[in-house]
Amino acid sequence: KKMELSTTLLILLNIYIGMCEERELYDHLLQNYRVAVRPSAHHNTSLDVTFVLALTQIIDVDERNQVLTTNCWMSQNWRDVHLSWENSQYTYISGIRIPADQVWRPDITLYNNADRQYTTGTLSTNVIISSEGNVTWLSSAIFKSSCLINVEYFPFDEQTCEMKFASWSYDGFQLNLLVEGEAADLSNYVQNGEWDLVEARAERNVVYYSCCQEPYPDITYYLQLRRRPLFYVFNLILPCVLITGIALLSFYMPSDSGEKVTLGITTLLSMTVFLMVIGESMPPTSEKLPLIGLYYGVTISLVSFATGLSVVTLNLHHRGIRGRRIPWIFRFVVFNILAKLLYIKLEEDKHKTRQNGVMPGGVLHPDQEIINGVHGEPQVDRKSEVVPAGLTVLLRKIHQSLETYEERRKLDDAREAIKREWQHCALVIDRFLLLVFVIGTIVATFSILYMSPHTKLFSF
């Protein structure tokens, strides 16, 4: 028991001595330290600062405002000649933690910052100081950087955003900014649901500004992002394809229904609503037209043209009421070429004005046995009895009425045949336009959606 007690007391004593020595070291380092003074061995000597950026998450890409929001960890390393000591003097203390606001720090900022409250988004912790004077400052920040968004291939687009870090007040002769590695640290990166991170390379540049003659080094990180188009395919492109297909079915709708033009106008309104939704999320730029905007524009044009041609086919369908025959060239093209090309079998006109000399309703024609004569002159059969004069007048009137009825029936049959011919013509043209617009829609859809050089339609 005495042995255990003495061991415990010895451990507590060492801890107390260590705490006292760390306090003495802290007081010693900051006794005559000046936070505002650059910790270089000589005022003409440049101070090397190594900068490392670790990208942990892509929070948001605001296409309309062209702002990239990221969560990053930063590591900055430099040597402070005023913060070194001998290990043997302080019980071999090799490192100490000091609040970051009590030592000098490089003023490295994000040049393309797009946040009004830039400083509030940075979490600063203690700096780690070694006995050789090497200072390591680890911090975390949520950056909002400006990024030029190219919406030409939206939603199959790739964006390259820059994050430029450099000292705001020190030039290259006072602070030499160095980069560790050729890419950002992605060991703790969290995947984004909308964007895939293709590349995050780092590049050191030296820039000469118009205000100063001294060089200003900077470290620029290029983040190459590729959009995942699955969400937009199922929420914007697929509804457009279905609406276009429904609009083209107006050519298959019977002309007597009276809803062909109404269907086309309804589909145009639906597609206009979707186009407005796309326009609200895109930046108001006139440099490039988004790919999906081009697709909607083409489909709206096709649907508008199809609606206009539906009016033309409706006019052809009801044109037979006027009694005008189809021009022979038009009839030849429609019935002998298009109908055979589309395998459309039309019903032939089988109406007959007379069958075996009997009019409809079983009425005998006047040139039969009862009434003979070319000009309507009734003649009585010699074998029969003499017909009274009143009956002769009556038979003559009946004969005239039957002739008038026959001529009117022939005229009605001719008009009905012309009407059916125009209706058949409109039917053939409807089927032909349906085939043309279906092929045109399919070709336009795949041509436009495959214009992107980076992503194909079903390559999610």
Side-chain angles (χ1 to χ4, degrees), residues 90-127:
Y90 297 95
T91 318
Y92 299 99
I93 298 178
S94 60
I96 187 173
R97 271 74 173 170
I98 297 178
D101 56 353
Q102 296 185 11
V103 299
W104 178 90
R105 293 172 297 172
D107 58 343
I108 297 177
T109 58
L110 179 64
Y111 269 39
N112 56 335
N113 173 50
D115 190 9
R116 297 179 180 178
Q117 301 176 350
Y118 174 73
T119 56
T120 58
T122 303
L123 176 63
S124 180
T125 58
N126 297 333
V127 296

Side-chain angles (χ1 to χ4, degrees), residues 27 53 55 59 62 115 121 175 185 205 221 227 254 280 297 436:
D27 295 336
L53 180 71
L55 181 63
I59 299 177
D62 189 353
D115 190 9
L175 192 148
D185 184 8
N205 304 306
Y221 288 89
R227 191 191 303 270
E280 291 178 355
V436 170

